[in-house]
Structure formats: C-alpha cells, structure tokens
Amino acid sequence: MIWVLLILAAIIALPPLIEWNRHRMDDSARGTAPGQFVRLSKGVTHFNWHGPADGPVCVCVHGLTTPSFVWGGLTPGLVERGYRVLTYDLYGRGYSDRPRAPQDRAFFLDQLRELLAHLGVEGDITLIGYSMGGAISTAFSAEHPDRVNRLVLLAPAGMGLARGKLMRFIIDTPLIGDWLMLALFPRMHRKGVRAERDLPTAVPDVTLLQAKETEYQGFTPAVLASLRGLLSKTLESEHVKLQSAGLPVLAIWGGADRVIPAAAIGTLAEWNSKAAHEVLEGAGHGLTYTHSGEILEILRRYGV
C-alpha cells in the first residue's frame, strides 16, 4: 500500500517539479534579446521600436501563446509606409517577466498604459491586436478612444473561443485543472505548432520559437491565467462603445481559423455594425505570419 501512495505522490508532484525546473526568464536568458527593457509595476517588459523616430506610432499587441516575434512579417511593411512600430511582450511571454497574478483586463491594460507612459506615447496611435491582443486592444480603445485613431483586429478574441471539453474542464476546475495544465499543455502546444511547421511563414523558424516558449517557467501558468481571466469574458459593451465613439475598426479573419469560431464575425457585426471585415480564405489562426503580404495589402486598401 505504501508503494502505491509513493507512486501516486510522485505522479502528483512531477508536473509542478518539471515546471519549477524550467528555465527562468532572467538577465541571462535576455542576454541576446533584441530591443529594450523597462521595469513596470508588475515586472520587466521587453519592447522594441521599429522604423523612423518621427513616424506616426503603430502599437502591435500579440496573442495568447506567441510573443512579439509574431509581428516579424508585418513590421517591415508598416515601417516602409513610414510608421514607427512598437512591439512588446505581454507578461508571461517572450522576454517579459512572469508575475503571478490574475491575467484579467486590468492586468494587461495596466501593462500597456504604463509602457506607453514610460515611452512618452500619447494620443493618435494606430492599434493592431492579434488574437488575445485583439481583446486587449479593444478594451484599451474603448477606455481611451481619444488616444486611438484606428483599431485593426487580426483574428481577434473577445467574441468567444473554440475550446474542447478537456480545456473547458481545465479552465473551470481549480487545482485539478492547474495540475492538468502543467501536465498536458506543454506537449499539446508543441504538437500543435509542429503540425504547422510546413505552412508558409514570413517569420523564420516561427514554430521552433513558439515551441521554445514552453521551456520557460511561468509560460504555461500564464496561458491558463489568461484563459481564466481576460479570455473568459466577451467584449460586447466595448465594441458598442467603439461604434458610438465613431472609431474606425477593421477586422481581418482567417477563413480556416480553428481557434476563433466563424460565428465571431457575425457577433462583432451585431455589436458594431460600422466595423469593416475582410476574410482571408484558407488562412488559419496564424494568419499574421502565414498571410503577411495579404494583410498588408488589405491595410493599404483601408489607408493604414
């Protein structure tokens, strides 16, 4: 009987132990990182400027699992148009810190507001949000419509996500869900990105970089915290506010996206009838780097 208990205890302890022994995101891990760092109220944030210092500012907010390198296919085109592009890593991803906190609306908006304040960026910015970054950008724009001149959403969250039964159980079940997330998600994530390794991409080695995120302590808990936090809410009131404020909104969707359900297009159209929509047929959720050229062409047509 004692052996059964010991084996059970070892099984229970293994996922937290593996997580504890993952690489820390510290100064040694940041040694070769491009860009700059700033310590904000909840920790260090990694950011990078691209383009002319006197250009109009375009801020890009990435999604749930892929940090700021996701913008590698779009930033050169935006810079060619004269933009000064700001990319940064959300807490829990990339080269930014991994604070243990609920990753709700306030968590992400505080990071963005504090970063813009540190950099002296004020009004009249173009804001581009991808996936969860679309939800962050929507919430920011609804709170500060005077600071944003245009909102661009790429496969945006905020209208609901496509989730399997296992992930719903993990999200809805404290403790057991946390253990399952540590035990299962890193392998699930690596398997998912490996399945896309043959897709065309404007970001070299993007799937290798995505898989590497699981090697760092705090990444998996951050994903779960976001699923339980910001991504557990819909943003109907925010989109209604954007329509009332008259803020131009352009949403670009992947026609083959398995993460953001197709119904999200109609939902956003109901909430904000003035929003413009474009669908890239055949594009999945990684459209930011698989269809960079097409996205840049759409942005050109809309004057971005």
Side-chain angles (χ1 to χ4, degrees):
M1 184 64 176
I2 186 67
W3 290 108
V4 174
L5 293 175
L6 289 173
I7 292 172
L8 181 61
I11 292 173
I12 293 173
L14 187 58
L17 183 61
I18 293 174
E19 172 67 14
W20 177 254
N21 282 283
R22 295 192 188 280
H23 301 303
R24 270 64 167 177
M25 183 48 62
D26 53 22
D27 289 344
S28 62
R30 296 178 176 122
T32 60
Q36 303 174 61
F37 297 88
V38 58
R39 180 169 294 279
L40 305 177
S41 64
K42 295 180 179 66
V44 172
T45 291
H46 169 243
F47 68 94
N48 206 346
W49 281 114
H50 314 260
D54 58 348
V57 174
C58 176
V59 181
C60 298
V61 188
H62 70 76
L64 178 65
T65 61
T66 307
S68 58
F69 60 73
V70 77
W71 300 109
L74 293 179
T75 49
L78 294 170
V79 167
E80 284 182 7
R81 295 174 193 179
Y83 283 103
R84 188 186 191 200
V85 181
L86 173 64
T87 61
Y88 71 102
D89 289 334
L90 297 171
Y91 289 130
R93 290 93 176 160
Y95 292 106
S96 289
D97 273 352
R98 277 91 165 113
R100 291 187 174 273
Q103 296 200 2
D104 54 14
R105 173 195 183 109
F107 177 82
F108 289 115
L109 292 193
D110 285 347
Q111 183 186 22
L112 179 53
R113 277 192 293 255
E114 290 173 15
L115 178 60
L116 295 178
H118 169 77
L119 298 174
V121 177
E122 297 180 350
D124 202 29
I125 65 173
T126 296
L127 193 54
I128 304 180
Y130 165 54
S131 192
M132 184 176 75
I136 296 168
S137 300
T138 296
F140 181 89
S141 299
E143 286 197 12
H144 307 283
D146 56 318
R147 301 186 63 179
V148 180
N149 60 50
R150 182 184 293 273
L151 174 63
V152 178
L153 302 173
L154 307 178
M159 281 65 68
L161 298 176
R163 298 171 180 154
K165 291 182 180 179
L166 176 59
M167 188 55 67
R168 289 200 300 269
F169 178 82
I170 289 172
I171 294 168
D172 295 339
T173 311
L175 297 180
I176 296 176
D178 294 65
W179 185 89
L180 286 171
M181 188 73 173
L182 291 177
L184 302 177
F185 180 77
R187 180 175 294 181
M188 291 167 56
H189 182 63
R190 290 192 295 269
K191 180 180 179 181
V193 299
R194 281 199 303 270
E196 297 185 348
R197 61 190 171 191
D198 293 328
L199 292 177
T201 176
V203 179
D205 298 322
V206 63
T207 56
L208 294 176
L209 293 171
Q210 289 170 319
K212 190 174 179 61
E213 286 292 294
T214 63
E215 299 176 8
Y216 287 92
Q217 187 182 110
F219 171 73
T220 297
V223 172
L224 180 55
S226 293
L227 290 168
R228 288 175 172 170
L230 178 68
L231 293 176
S232 68
K233 313 293 183 183
T234 57
L235 300 176
E236 179 177 2
S237 64
E238 287 80 2
H239 283 288
V240 170
K241 287 180 182 177
L242 294 180
Q243 176 175 268
S244 298
L247 182 70
V249 176
L250 168 62
I252 303 175
W253 310 85
D257 194 334
R258 296 183 180 180
V259 176
I260 304 297
I265 302 175
T267 300
L268 177 53
E270 290 179 7
W271 295 346
N272 183 354
S273 61
K274 297 179 181 178
H277 299 267
E278 295 284 343
V279 178
L280 292 173
E281 298 299 339
H285 195 61
L287 75 172
T288 308
Y289 48 88
T290 62
H291 290 69
S292 303
E294 293 91 330
I295 291 173
L296 287 168
E297 174 57 24
I298 291 171
L299 295 181
R300 184 195 64 78
R301 294 205 316 263
Y302 282 86
V304 180

